[in-house]
């Protein structure tokens, strides 16, 4: 317990006090004899309260004054006397509390309650609305104050029992009968508006008190239960030493009058604050913040709240932090000083929660207070570097956590750090922070980048101790800020090599990652054993790391060439973007056995059209065939298929010189043809290979190119070539004999594609016209038909020209007559000498402007 109030006796009256009420510095006392007394009470800090009788009226009532209520804004006092509610003027300009008005319908009432609503406007003016509930046997009457008089608000509310206590707050009115407590929503009907709450206590008068936050306090035996204006019950009750007789709410305290004392408690937290021994107290009234009046039959005491500056240290020593915050909120300090005091209290509360192993609640408070994350992390041993940890100071020695408590603490810290991380990564977060220290004077981290680095590094350490499955997702984050050396040290210490590779990859430290993968590839008990992880890592690197890819792919290719090749052939964007020329050059130097598979993948799978790779594959196929002694038929088939593709994909002039002259003649023929050397290609087919069918097929294939391939074919059939026509290749000693029949057959089938003159000169003199009759007839007819076609076209063109000239002459010979009587066919007006005009095809004239309008 601590001292919240100081009690001072104000009055000792020779009269029997029946009721009291207060407002500001004024105290009103109603007596059993019917006297009404008004006192002025001045309370100064550190001094005894000064009391002065301002006015009195011993003839105020002929009977006891049962209840008093004051509304200072209207300077009125509402009194229940002689069974009627009356309103009196308490303005200092008048005397004897003159009657303003009374409520005639209230005759015979036993109880009333006021509702005073104060509303501030935008201009700062405060509007006060006063309403009153009057209890008359089993009915309630409702009134509102206007023009110095109470007017009926609504119809009477009939009840099943007589209310013994009533309080009105907002739009809810709570009352207690002998059997139970009920709640009524003002303005609704009897059936809809009344809500039964719970039974009253045993042989006890019900008591309802309106609290300053508009909640209702309901007494049941020695307990007080709280409900909201909507009727929501708080299951936690305040326990008193005995049944209270009366109670008021002076935030944050509940002041309750017992039979021989006054007990002061709080509802949150529910603790006993102070007990004041006073002789037979009966009545209580709260005059304002920090001032409560207690009255017995003849005595009146004033309870003044101890200054906040004295209460808070007591509460902090007792570790009543929540109450200390509430008390600090009601002090009259400046807003800055109040905020600083509350911050200090809440910081101590969060630290105490941590020391009591309430980690979640502690972290929530630290987050709300914006405490520097490094100070929070420092509460846990081993999470900060020793040199940084030594600079931190705490209100007391933090507990050393172990076992289950350590795990719970780390889980709460993870939730806190995750929340802080999200907050700092928000786009609206400034780059320079303003965190609060846990203890004043300790350095805080103001750099956003440095704060995120500490948070992420600590998260990594926490995950390693609680749930290592979360380590990899943390390290994969693009905005990961783990400290490099610290994270590297902890991951190695925990043997989390897979996660260390992820960390290196995120930080673009690819060489370190690949070196680690290489070192662990030969360790069978390592999670990085083997070459598959290296292959995957290299496949995900982009073209700018080509040197690194080539360097670390060598050991993989040596260990497993097939898997190593996938580094350059996997169907991935990163792999396809690699510089293929560099890769080919590297494979030629270091892994020639993979050159052909790589080139085949480029051409056949990826559709590569660059001549460099097609030329290279052709030469690679050639070398394989030669090395096999011409026994590798499969490769030879691939080579011929490759040579017969689109000739723009490879360069025959570059490939042909590298082919041997004594073999691969069919491939040479294809290359000669692709290079436009058709006569040489046909020499190979006819006189080296001796295959006329392939020569014919070649001519059919090359016919579309417009070259005289059939003419070459006929000439080579009738006149054998000499060695000079096929440089480099030695012709066989016995070439094909002249074959006039085959030449004539070609002429008859393809005469339209052959120039007649050169062919006739190449034929031997022994060729008879009879054998050439069909060819010559067809050739001459074709030439005559072509000549006739040309003549016909020329005649048609000449006729069209003559007709065009005649039309031009006719149009130029048209006469146009225009005089002063000529008018426009469009507007009917005559033409002036300066008018522009137009002529229609039918010969009619019109103004140029009219012609443009009609168009």
């Amino acid at each position: 317990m601590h001292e919240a109030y100081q009690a001072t006796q104000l009055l000792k009256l020779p009269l029997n006090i029946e009721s009291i009420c207060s407002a500001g510095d004024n105290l009103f006392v109603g007596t059993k004899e019917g006297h009404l007394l008004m006192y002025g009470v001045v309370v100064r800090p550190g001094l005894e309260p000064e009391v002065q009788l301002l006015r009195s009226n011993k003839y105020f009532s002929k009977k006891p004054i049962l209840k008093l209520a004051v509304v200072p804004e209207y300077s009125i006092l509402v009194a229940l006397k002689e069974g009627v509610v009356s309103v009196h003027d308490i303005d200092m300009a008048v005397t004897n509390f003159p009657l303003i008005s009374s409520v005639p319908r209230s005759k015979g009432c036993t109880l009333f309650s006021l509702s005073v609503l104060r509303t501030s406007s935008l201009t700062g003016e405060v509007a006060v609305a006063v309403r009153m509930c009057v209890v008359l046997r089993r009915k309630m009457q409702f009134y509102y104050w206007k023009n110095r008089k109470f007017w009926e608000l609504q119809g009477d509310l009939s009840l099943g029992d007589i209310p013994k206590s009533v309080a009105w707050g907002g739009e809810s009115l709570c009352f207690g009968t002998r059997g139970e407590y009920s709640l009524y929503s003002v303005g609704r009907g009897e059936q809809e508006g009344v809500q039964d709450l719970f039974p009253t206590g045993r042989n006890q008068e019900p008591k309802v008190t309106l609290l300053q936050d508009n909640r209702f306090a309901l007494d049941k035996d020695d307990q007080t239960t709280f409900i909201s204006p909507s009727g929501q019950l708080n299951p936690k009750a305040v326990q008193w030493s005995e049944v209270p007789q009366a109670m008021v709410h002076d935030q944050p305290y509940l002041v309750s009058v017992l039979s021989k004392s006054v007990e002061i408690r709080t509802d949150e937290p529910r603790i006993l604050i102070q007990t004041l021994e006073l002789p037979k107290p009966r009545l209580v009234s709260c005059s304002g913040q920090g001032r409560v009046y207690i009255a017995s039959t003849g005595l009146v005491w004033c309870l003044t709240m101890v200054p906040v500056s004295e209460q808070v240290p007591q509460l902090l020593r007792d570790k009543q932090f929540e109450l200390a915050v509430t008390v600090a909120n009601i002090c009259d300090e400046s807003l800055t000083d109040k905020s600083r005091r509350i911050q200090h209290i809440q910081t101590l509360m969060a630290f105490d929660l941590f020391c009591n192993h309430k980690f979640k609640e502690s972290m929530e408070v630290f987050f709300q207070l914006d405490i520097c994350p490094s100070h929070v992390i420092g509460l846990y041993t081993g999470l900060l570097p020793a040199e940084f940890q030594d600079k931190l100071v705490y209100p007391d020695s933090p507990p050393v956590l172990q076992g289950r408590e350590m795990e719970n603490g780390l889980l709460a810290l993870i939730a806190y750090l995750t929340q802080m991380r999200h907050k700092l990564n928000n786009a609206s977060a400034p780059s320079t922070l303003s965190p609060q220290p846990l203890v004043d004077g300790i350095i805080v981290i103001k750099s956003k980048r440095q704060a995120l680095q500490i948070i992420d590094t600590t998260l990594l350490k926490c995950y390693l101790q609680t749930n290592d499955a979360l380590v990899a997702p943390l390290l994969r984050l693009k905005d990961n800020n783990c400290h490099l050396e610290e994270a590297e040290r902890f991951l190695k210490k925990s043997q989390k090599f897979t996660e260390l590779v992820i960390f290196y990859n995120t930080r673009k430290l690819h060489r370190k990652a690949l070196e680690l993968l290489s070192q662990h590839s030969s360790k069978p008990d390592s999670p990085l054993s083997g070459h598959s992880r290296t292959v995957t890592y290299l496949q995900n690197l982009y073209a700018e790391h080509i040197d690194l890819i080539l360097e670390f792919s060598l050991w993989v290719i040596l260990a497993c060439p097939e898997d190593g090749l996938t580094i350059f052939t996997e169907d991935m964007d990163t792999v396809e973007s690699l510089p293929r020329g560099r890769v080919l050059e590297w494979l030629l130097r270091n892994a020639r056995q993979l050159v052909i598979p790589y080139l085949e993948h480029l051409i056949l799978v990826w559709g590569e059209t660059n001549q460099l790779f097609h030329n290279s594959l052709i030469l690679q196929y050639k070398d394989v065939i030669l090395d096999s002694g011409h026994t590798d038929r499969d490769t030879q088939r691939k080579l011929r298929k490759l040579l017969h593709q689109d000739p723009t994909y490879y360069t025959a002039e570059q490939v042909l010189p590298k082919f041997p002259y004594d073999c691969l003649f069919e491939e040479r023929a294809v290359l000669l043809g692709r290079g436009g050397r058709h006569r040489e290609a046909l020499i190979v087919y006819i006189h080296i290979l001796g295959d006329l069918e392939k020569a014919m097929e070649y001519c059919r294939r090359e016919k579309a190119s417009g070259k005289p391939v059939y003419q070459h074919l006929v000439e080579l059939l009738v006149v054998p070539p000499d060695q000079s026509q096929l440089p480099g290749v030695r012709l066989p000693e016995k070439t094909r004999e002249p074959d006039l029949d085959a030449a004539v057959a070609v002429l008859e089938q393809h005469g339209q594609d052959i120039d007649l003159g050169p062919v006739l000169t190449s034929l031997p003199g022994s060729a008879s016209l009879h054998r050439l009759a069909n060819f010559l007839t067809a050739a001459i007819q074709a030439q005559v038909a072509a000549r006739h076609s040309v003549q016909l076209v020329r005649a048609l063109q000449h006729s069209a020209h003559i007709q065009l000239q005649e039309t031009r002459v006719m149009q130029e010979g048209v006469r146009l007559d225009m005089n002063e009587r000529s008018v426009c066919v469009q507007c009917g007006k005559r033409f002036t000498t300066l008018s522009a005009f137009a002529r229609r095809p039918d010969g009619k004239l019109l103004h140029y402007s009219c012609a443009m309008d009609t168009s």
Side-chain angles (χ1 to χ4, degrees):
M1 293 194 300
H2 78 279
E3 187 179 21
Y5 290 91
Q6 293 177 341
T8 304
Q9 181 177 322
L10 284 182
L11 302 172
K12 184 176 182 180
L13 301 178
L15 305 170
N16 294 318
I17 300 174
E18 188 69 23
S19 59
I20 63 170
C21 73
S22 58
D25 290 337
N26 295 327
L27 170 65
F28 299 87
V29 179
T31 67
K32 189 174 182 179
E33 294 80 9
H35 295 195
L36 178 62
L37 308 173
M38 178 179 176
Y39 293 92
V41 182
V42 179
V43 178
R44 295 184 176 87
L47 301 176
E48 293 285 330
E50 300 176 5
V51 60
Q52 178 183 3
L53 179 64
L54 299 179
R55 67 176 77 178
S56 65
N57 186 351
K58 63 181 180 179
Y59 304 110
F60 187 76
S61 174
K62 298 177 182 179
K63 295 182 179 181
I65 304 172
L66 300 179
K67 185 175 177 62
L68 294 172
V70 62
V71 183
E73 289 85 355
Y74 290 121
S75 298
I76 59 174
L77 179 71
V78 183
L80 174 56
K81 60 176 184 174
E82 301 174 9
V84 177
V85 175
S86 57
V87 183
H88 299 264
D89 195 343
I90 60 171
D91 193 280
M92 295 301 294
V94 298
T95 58
N96 295 328
F97 312 106
L99 176 67
I100 298 175
S101 63
S102 61
V103 183
R105 290 189 64 231
S106 66
K107 186 172 180 61
C109 76
T110 55
L111 190 62
F112 76 87
S113 175
L114 292 186
S115 168
V116 182
L117 298 177
R118 297 174 174 86
T119 307
S120 297
S121 65
L122 295 176
T123 60
E125 297 179 357
V126 179
V128 181
V130 180
R131 295 176 294 178
M132 179 174 64
C133 170
V134 174
V135 177
L136 187 63
R137 300 180 186 87
R138 295 185 178 183
K139 287 186 177 182
M140 285 185 177
Q141 300 173 352
F142 299 90
Y143 301 91
Y144 68 94
W145 178 258
K146 186 177 181 180
N147 297 332
R148 309 285 282 175
K149 182 179 180 180
F150 274 113
W151 302 81
E152 288 189 26
L153 179 65
Q154 66 177 56
D156 296 352
L157 177 64
S158 298
L159 304 171
D161 201 352
I162 301 174
K164 298 295 184 179
S165 179
V166 63
W168 191 349
E171 299 304 319
S172 299
L173 186 142
C174 187
F175 60 91
T177 62
R178 191 174 298 276
E180 64 182 349
Y181 289 106
S182 301
L183 188 70
Y184 172 63
S185 297
V186 179
R188 302 183 65 181
E190 296 181 11
Q191 300 299 324
E192 301 87 354
V194 178
Q195 173 188 353
D196 294 334
L197 298 175
F198 55 85
T200 57
R202 300 184 303 271
N203 301 320
Q204 173 194 356
E205 288 286 324
K207 294 182 181 62
V208 181
T209 305
L210 178 65
L211 305 184
Q212 292 177 347
D213 55 6
N214 266 356
R215 290 180 300 154
F216 296 104
L218 312 180
D219 292 345
K220 182 178 181 181
D221 298 328
D222 58 351
Q223 292 184 342
T224 296
T225 304
F226 304 94
I227 65 168
S228 67
S230 61
Q232 185 176 359
L233 177 67
N234 188 334
K236 297 180 180 180
V238 173
Q239 184 79 36
W240 303 99
S241 302
E242 57 181 90
V243 177
Q245 299 182 26
M247 183 176 65
V248 292
H249 187 208
D250 183 22
Q251 287 186 329
Y253 300 118
L254 296 172
V255 181
S256 181
V257 175
L258 307 182
S259 60
K260 296 180 180 180
S261 63
V262 173
E263 202 165 275
I264 301 164
R265 293 179 178 268
T266 56
D267 65 325
E268 195 62 42
R270 287 166 171 72
I271 56 174
L272 173 63
I273 301 299
Q274 186 180 6
T275 300
L276 298 172
E277 300 293 337
L278 299 177
K280 298 181 180 181
R282 292 177 54 245
L283 307 171
V284 61
S285 174
C286 183
S287 178
Q289 185 66 56
R291 188 186 303 186
V292 177
Y293 295 103
I294 306 293
S296 64
T297 304
L299 298 175
V300 177
W301 294 271
C302 178
L303 305 187
T304 54
M305 189 179 292
V306 174
V308 171
S309 58
E310 298 179 19
Q311 285 195 65
V312 169
Q314 295 182 47
L315 292 170
L316 294 181
R317 285 193 295 270
D318 296 338
K319 297 188 176 181
Q320 296 295 338
F321 300 104
E322 294 182 18
L323 183 57
V325 171
T326 307
V327 171
N329 269 314
I330 65 174
C331 68
D332 295 330
E333 296 177 323
S334 66
L335 187 60
T336 303
D337 293 340
K338 182 187 293 187
S339 299
R340 187 180 298 112
R341 184 191 294 271
I342 293 174
Q343 174 89 11
H344 173 66
I345 296 170
Q346 291 177 324
T347 303
L348 293 177
M349 178 176 69
F351 180 79
D352 184 70
L353 288 170
F354 181 86
C355 293
N356 289 315
H357 297 173
K358 296 181 179 179
F359 304 112
K360 180 180 178 181
E361 296 84 350
S362 173
M363 296 300 147
E364 289 175 352
V365 177
F366 281 136
F367 180 79
Q368 293 171 0
L369 297 177
D370 196 22
I371 300 299
C372 181
S374 64
H375 295 191
V376 178
I377 297 169
L379 294 170
Y380 300 81
T381 56
L383 294 182
L384 288 177
E387 62 275 9
F388 192 91
Q389 181 77 53
D390 294 340
K391 299 178 182 179
L392 300 179
V393 178
Y394 295 100
D396 200 352
S397 298
V400 178
L401 304 178
Q402 294 179 344
R404 185 66 179 176
E405 294 300 334
M406 182 63 174
E407 183 179 354
N408 292 337
L410 289 176
L411 292 175
L413 179 63
I414 288 172
Y416 162 78
L417 293 176
T418 304
Q419 200 172 6
M420 283 297 300
R421 191 179 192 280
H422 179 74
K423 175 182 175 181
L424 294 181
N425 279 323
N426 193 294
S428 60
S431 57
T432 302
L433 309 177
S434 302
Q436 300 299 318
L438 203 148
V439 174
D440 289 339
I442 305 302
I443 189 171
V444 295
I445 296 175
K446 296 184 177 181
S447 168
K448 176 180 175 179
R449 180 181 172 278
Q450 191 176 359
L452 283 170
Q453 189 178 70
I454 290 178
I455 289 172
D456 284 356
T457 307
T458 306
L459 271 175
L460 173 63
K461 296 176 182 179
C462 292
Y463 288 154
L464 288 172
Q465 298 184 54
T466 58
N467 186 359
D468 54 7
L470 297 174
V471 173
L474 172 66
L475 297 177
R476 285 193 181 97
L477 293 175
K478 293 182 179 179
D479 56 356
N480 174 271
N481 292 278
C482 289
H483 188 272
L484 177 60
E485 291 78 8
E486 191 78 1
E488 191 177 30
R489 182 169 64 86
F490 264 81
L491 288 170
K492 287 181 177 179
K493 180 180 179 182
S494 304
Q495 295 190 344
K496 296 295 180 182
F497 299 111
T498 302
E499 289 77 4
L500 183 56
V501 171
I502 295 172
F503 180 57
Y504 285 148
N505 185 30
T506 307
R507 291 301 181 85
K508 301 187 183 305
L509 299 173
H510 302 303
R511 178 171 291 278
K512 279 195 169 188
L514 291 166
E515 289 173 350
L516 182 65
L517 288 167
S518 177
Q519 293 168 7
H520 285 259
S521 63
S522 59
K523 298 179 180 179
D525 56 342
S526 172
L528 305 179
S529 177
H531 59 267
S532 59
R533 291 184 178 272
T534 301
V535 171
T536 303
Y537 195 99
L538 292 172
Q539 287 171 344
N540 284 279
L541 292 180
Y542 285 91
E544 61 262 26
H545 303 292
I546 184 61
D547 293 331
L548 209 59
I549 295 172
L550 296 176
E551 177 183 348
F552 284 92
S553 61
L554 180 60
W555 76 263
V556 179
I557 288 176
L558 294 176
C560 183
E562 292 182 359
D563 291 345
L565 181 61
T566 62
I567 297 172
F568 309 109
T569 60
E570 190 66 28
D571 189 16
M572 297 172 60
D573 292 339
T574 51
V575 176
E576 291 191 39
S577 66
L578 295 178
R580 299 171 184 179
R582 286 283 306 278
V583 175
L584 176 60
E585 180 185 353
W586 186 86
L587 289 174
L588 286 169
R589 289 199 313 270
N590 299 282
R592 295 190 66 87
Q593 75 275 19
L594 298 180
V595 172
I596 289 179
Y598 177 68
L599 290 172
E600 287 179 340
H601 189 87
L602 291 185
I603 295 169
L604 303 178
V605 179
W606 288 348
E608 177 63 67
T609 59
N610 192 306
Q611 293 181 348
L612 169 67
F613 304 107
H614 288 260
N615 292 347
S616 299
L617 184 56
I618 290 172
L619 295 176
Q620 289 296 317
Y621 281 156
K622 180 262 297 181
D623 293 340
V624 170
I625 294 170
L626 294 178
D627 293 341
S628 69
H630 301 276
T631 59
D632 193 340
R633 299 299 180 186
D634 186 55
T635 302
Q636 196 164 12
R637 179 182 54 81
K638 291 181 181 178
L639 174 58
R640 291 174 182 175
K641 183 179 179 180
L642 187 63
L643 291 175
H644 282 96
Q645 67 180 353
D646 191 333
T648 60
Y649 290 168
Y650 63 89
T651 311
E653 292 81 359
Q654 295 181 6
V655 174
L656 189 59
K658 299 179 182 179
F659 266 67
Y661 291 97
D662 57 350
C663 59
L664 299 179
F665 294 113
E666 185 172 346
E667 290 77 5
R668 173 173 288 277
V670 175
L671 289 171
L672 287 170
R674 295 303 193 211
R677 297 157 67 177
H678 303 291
R679 187 177 187 85
E680 296 179 42
L682 289 170
I683 292 174
V684 173
Y685 281 122
I686 297 171
H687 295 284
I688 296 180
L689 297 175
D691 193 337
L692 181 58
E693 286 299 324
K694 287 188 177 180
M696 293 290 293
E697 182 183 349
Y698 175 84
C699 290
R700 285 193 295 270
R701 191 168 58 246
E702 298 295 333
K703 173 185 174 181
S705 64
K707 301 297 182 180
V709 289
Y710 282 108
Q711 182 173 328
H712 293 315
L713 178 60
V714 172
E715 291 174 354
L716 291 172
L717 286 173
V718 296
V719 181
D722 56 25
Q723 185 63 52
S724 63
Q725 295 184 32
L726 191 62
V729 179
R730 184 177 181 82
L731 291 173
E733 295 179 0
K734 187 177 181 181
T735 59
R736 183 184 179 95
E737 294 294 332
D739 189 349
L740 185 60
D741 293 337
V744 171
V746 173
L747 288 171
E748 291 177 350
Q749 293 177 16
H750 305 282
Q752 69 276 11
D753 299 318
I754 300 173
D755 190 0
L756 183 59
V759 169
L760 291 177
T761 58
S762 65
L763 292 175
S766 60
S768 65
L769 290 175
H770 177 73
R771 296 181 65 182
L772 299 174
N774 293 336
F775 162 68
L776 293 173
T777 300
I780 293 171
Q781 287 176 350
Q783 289 191 2
V784 171
R787 182 178 181 84
H788 286 173
S789 177
V790 172
Q791 290 175 346
L792 179 61
V793 170
R794 289 182 62 187
L796 291 173
Q797 289 178 344
H798 180 69
S799 175
H801 176 69
I802 295 299
Q803 291 178 4
L804 183 62
Q805 292 298 322
E806 289 177 354
T807 303
R808 179 180 64 79
V809 171
M810 288 177 61
Q811 294 296 328
E812 289 177 349
V814 173
R815 179 183 176 84
L816 179 62
D817 293 326
M818 179 184 291
N819 52 42
E820 64 274 7
R821 292 191 297 276
S822 299
V823 295
C824 174
V825 297
Q826 180 70 24
C827 64
K829 296 181 180 179
R830 294 182 180 180
F831 293 95
T832 64
T833 55
L834 299 178
S835 296
F837 65 91
R839 177 182 177 275
R840 286 181 178 176
D842 59 4
K844 295 182 179 180
L845 302 178
L846 68 165
H847 289 105
Y848 179 76
S849 59
C850 294
M852 294 302 294
D853 291 341
T854 57
S855 63

